[in-house]
Amino acid sequence: MTHFAKKVVRILEVQQTNSSESTESHQFVSSNDLLPVPPGERTWNGLAYVAFWISTAININTWMITSSMIQLGMSWWQAWICVWAGYGIVTPFVVLNARPGAIFHVTFPVVNRTSFGIFGSMWCVFNRAAMACIWYGVQSSIGGNCVLVMLQAMWPSIMNIPNSMPLSSGIDSKDFLAFILFWIISLPFIWFPVHTIRHFFTFKSIITPIACVVFMVWCIIKAHGVGPIVNQPGTIHGATLGWAMVSGAMSCISNLVTLITNAPDFGSRAKYPSATVSSQLWSIPFSYGVLCLVGVLVSSSSQAIYGEAIWSPVTLLQMFLNDDPSPAARFGVWFISASFIIAQIGTNISANSISAGCDLTALFPRFINIRRGGYVSAVVGLCMCPWNLLKSSSSFTSYLSAYSVFLSSIAGVMVTEYWIIRRGHYNVADLYSARKGSWYWYTYGFNLRAYAAYVAGIIINVVGFAGDTGRVVPIAALHIYNLSFFTGFGTSAIVYWVLNRIFPPQGVFSKFEEVDVSGYLDRLIDSQSEESQGTDSKEELSETEKV
């Protein structure tokens, strides 16, 4: 029985190129997918990051993001200013946290070790992985709605499928069929390595904007103009308007906080460090700003057509199909809904499956790589029955957004560690070492300074979070919570800086210089070059033997 169990474990283990040289403790903190990205896989140039952000921005959630602001009483242009302000303000934080990934080509779980410790980082990684799995299910549920509309455009009779699902399931047969189809369609895209999936992002960044423009023009033509929302003035003024705009901008920032935290995952694939800077600084606010404007114009047109503003593009497409459409109109709905399916798949890959894969690799390096981790997130997303989460609580999205309080505190510590405490100096060899005395060993593998700063960043927002859930709290606490990203990020950053001044760790530098003091990266590149040359020599010898 013991022999059989060992055999099963060996089968489940991820094959490692350095397994024969690694100690058991080293295997616990290292794997092929945790090591610095090899030069051959650093293929993302500036245009790849532009395509990535256009691809990530275009999804149903982004489309609807201005709706809540207009419903608060803002005019469309006030809401649009909030979108530009929110995404414009948050973009530099993405660039700052992506930098160590672009320089040292390591992913978020490894970068997080520099600040929280070789073992202390696991709590942060677990939090990010859990969020990725939950959001994978939520985005898949939304993608299933797109599949149903596409199928209805081809076969209207699908809406007549008899329901065989029990009432307790929270879903009927046709919706479950659509969800499962989207889930299955998504699976092949998880298979591709991170450095090659950029081609899918490029494809999505071409096809989905075309569909969005077609949808917008179609709606404006049907409404004989842009509709009443564009001409509708705001109904709130003064301080109420000011705090509403702050809240709107913060909702945009919260929408990107998860990608700020794991920015090194994609930065690690940069062909050259500057690829992550200028390309992201303009493409992030531009992509989100343009899509939100399209959403406003389409919803404004829908109010002129149906007498009410339809903020969900999927619901609006379904209403088009209920109007006894012509074959051309049905094809238009099919094309747009198919494009939205591509959009949802791309968002799930960029924001969820790759992130979960990188994180789970760090938690279980012996058994999980990025690909396996992506499939784990898909399975969890299916098993959690996300349609129940979305239907059972109208505040579900609000609760998920509130999670930015926890992630912003993590990001505050990470950015301060790289730019202010270590000043760009890394000891890459110690990132894969669980020995006492290494840079990132701290106290038994945990950096207590980082955890103190992390908790401080959470505490400052706790009272306001309670007020956001319906409890009576002082108005000042709600205002602090309205700025939760900055209060969480800023508090954790300041506390971490102060604690490091009082209790300086090993490896603090006064001069900023982005360098690996261990020389590990150079040795790794040399060994990879030797392996490549050895492989070429073997191939040449094989050809000679054939002759």
Side-chain angles (χ1 to χ4, degrees):
M1 188 66 181
T2 305
H3 176 73
F4 176 76
K6 289 182 178 180
K7 188 174 181 181
V8 170
V9 168
R10 281 197 297 269
I11 292 173
L12 293 176
E13 283 181 338
V14 176
Q15 186 176 1
Q16 308 292 350
T17 56
N18 59 346
S19 59
S20 60
E21 303 173 4
S22 299
T23 63
E24 195 165 322
S25 63
H26 182 75
Q27 290 178 0
F28 186 69
V29 297
S30 179
S31 70
N32 288 349
D33 285 337
L34 289 174
L35 292 173
V37 176
E41 297 181 10
R42 304 170 192 170
T43 57
W44 289 41
N45 56 20
L47 287 176
Y49 283 99
V50 172
F52 169 78
W53 282 110
I54 293 175
S55 171
T56 302
I58 300 178
N59 60 75
I60 307 300
N61 284 342
T62 305
W63 182 288
M64 297 171 60
I65 204 166
T66 51
S67 63
S68 60
M69 304 182 208
I70 292 177
Q71 288 167 359
L72 283 175
M74 282 187 259
S75 65
W76 75 269
W77 62 267
Q78 290 169 338
W80 200 40
I81 288 176
C82 293
V83 171
W84 278 95
Y87 287 109
I89 290 170
V90 80
T91 297
F93 293 95
V94 176
V95 175
L96 287 173
N97 209 29
R99 186 68 179 181
I103 293 293
F104 301 102
H105 305 286
V106 288
T107 56
F108 157 69
V110 180
V111 173
N112 192 259
R113 291 174 179 177
T114 65
S115 48
F116 283 84
I118 200 78
F119 298 134
S121 63
M122 291 186 179
W123 169 249
C124 303
V125 172
F126 170 78
N127 275 264
R128 182 64 188 93
M131 283 298 294
C133 292
I134 292 172
W135 271 112
Y136 190 98
V138 171
Q139 294 286 9
S140 295
S141 183
I142 297 171
N145 296 333
C146 300
V147 170
L148 183 61
V149 172
M150 185 185 73
L151 294 176
Q152 185 181 354
M154 294 187 291
W155 303 292
S157 59
I158 195 171
M159 303 303 289
N160 300 324
I161 291 179
N163 181 34
S164 59
M165 303 289 290
L167 187 62
S168 59
S169 67
I171 192 171
D172 59 27
S173 295
K174 65 179 184 298
D175 288 325
F176 183 72
L177 171 64
F179 172 82
I180 289 296
L181 286 174
F182 178 86
W183 188 82
I184 293 173
I185 291 168
S186 302
L187 294 182
F189 295 93
I190 300 175
W191 182 265
F192 296 99
V194 179
H195 65 283
T196 61
I197 198 64
R198 64 190 175 92
H199 300 301
F200 176 73
F201 295 145
T202 302
F203 169 72
K204 177 187 169 181
S205 68
I206 295 172
I207 195 70
T208 50
I210 293 173
C212 290
V213 171
V214 169
F215 194 15
M216 180 183 68
V217 172
W218 188 9
C219 289
I220 291 174
I221 292 173
K222 284 176 71 72
H224 305 291
V226 292
I229 290 180
V230 173
N231 301 314
Q232 178 179 306
T235 59
I236 54 176
H237 308 280
T240 304
L241 172 62
W243 280 108
M245 294 186 74
V246 168
S247 178
M250 286 304 303
S251 69
C252 299
I253 293 172
S254 297
N255 196 38
L256 269 195
V257 120
T258 53
L259 288 170
I260 293 173
T261 309
N262 72 294
D265 287 345
F266 300 98
S268 64
R269 266 67 188 177
K271 198 170 187 178
Y272 41 89
S274 61
T276 63
V277 183
S278 59
S279 59
Q280 296 191 111
L281 284 175
W282 71 264
S283 64
I284 295 175
F286 175 81
S287 302
Y288 285 90
V290 170
L291 185 66
C292 287
L293 177 61
V294 171
V296 167
L297 294 177
V298 169
S299 297
S300 182
S301 302
S302 71
Q303 185 167 346
I305 299 169
Y306 295 107
E308 61 176 324
I310 311 299
W311 289 101
S312 170
V314 180
T315 302
L316 185 57
L317 287 172
Q318 204 157 41
M319 293 176 74
F320 284 0
L321 292 177
N322 295 335
D323 289 342
D324 193 23
S326 64
R330 286 172 57 187
F331 174 77
V333 171
W334 177 88
F335 170 71
I336 295 169
S337 57
S339 299
F340 283 148
I341 292 170
I342 295 172
Q344 290 301 117
I345 291 173
T347 299
N348 244 356
I349 293 171
S350 62
N352 300 318
S353 70
I354 290 177
S355 301
C358 292
D359 297 339
L360 292 171
T361 296
L363 295 176
F364 308 101
R366 188 176 175 185
F367 299 102
I368 295 182
N369 54 22
I370 293 178
R371 179 179 292 159
R372 289 184 183 182
Y375 284 113
V376 168
S377 71
V379 172
V380 173
L382 171 65
C383 295
M384 62 181 266
C385 302
W387 54 86
N388 281 332
L389 293 177
L390 292 171
K391 290 179 180 179
S392 63
S393 174
S394 59
S395 301
F396 177 67
T397 303
S398 175
Y399 278 105
L400 286 178
S401 297
Y403 209 84
S404 66
V405 171
F406 300 93
L407 296 182
S408 65
S409 298
I410 294 173
V413 171
M414 291 175 67
V415 170
T416 306
E417 163 75 19
Y418 183 77
W419 292 95
I420 299 177
I421 306 302
R422 306 286 184 179
R423 296 184 181 271
H425 293 77
Y426 260 38
N427 189 322
V428 177
D430 280 358
L431 286 170
Y432 307 99
S433 173
R435 63 177 176 82
K436 184 178 180 180
S438 64
W439 273 25
Y440 311 114
W441 177 251
Y442 296 111
T443 305
Y444 298 102
F446 292 82
N447 186 0
L448 301 182
R449 308 170 193 79
Y451 271 94
Y454 168 67
V455 172
I458 294 172
I459 288 176
I460 195 172
N461 288 296
V462 165
V463 178
F465 174 69
D468 191 56
T469 60
R471 291 175 173 80
V472 179
V473 299
I475 189 67
L478 286 174
H479 289 335
I480 290 174
Y481 182 71
N482 285 336
L483 297 167
S484 59
F485 174 78
F486 297 106
T487 52
F489 185 98
T491 300
S492 63
I494 292 171
V495 171
Y496 189 63
W497 174 76
V498 170
L499 289 175
N500 277 275
R501 293 282 292 182
I502 299 172
F503 308 104
Q506 181 183 358
V508 174
F509 291 83
S510 58
K511 178 184 176 182
F512 185 87
E513 185 181 12
E514 294 177 310
V515 60
D516 170 22
V517 299
S518 69
Y520 181 89
L521 284 175
D522 294 333
R523 295 197 301 273
L524 187 65
I525 292 174
D526 291 342
S527 65
Q528 289 169 345
S529 299
E530 290 174 3
E531 288 178 7
S532 176
Q533 292 173 1
T535 302
D536 293 341
S537 300
K538 288 180 181 179
E539 290 177 353
E540 291 175 4
L541 180 61
S542 177
E543 291 297 324
T544 304
E545 289 174 348
K546 287 180 181 179
V547 173

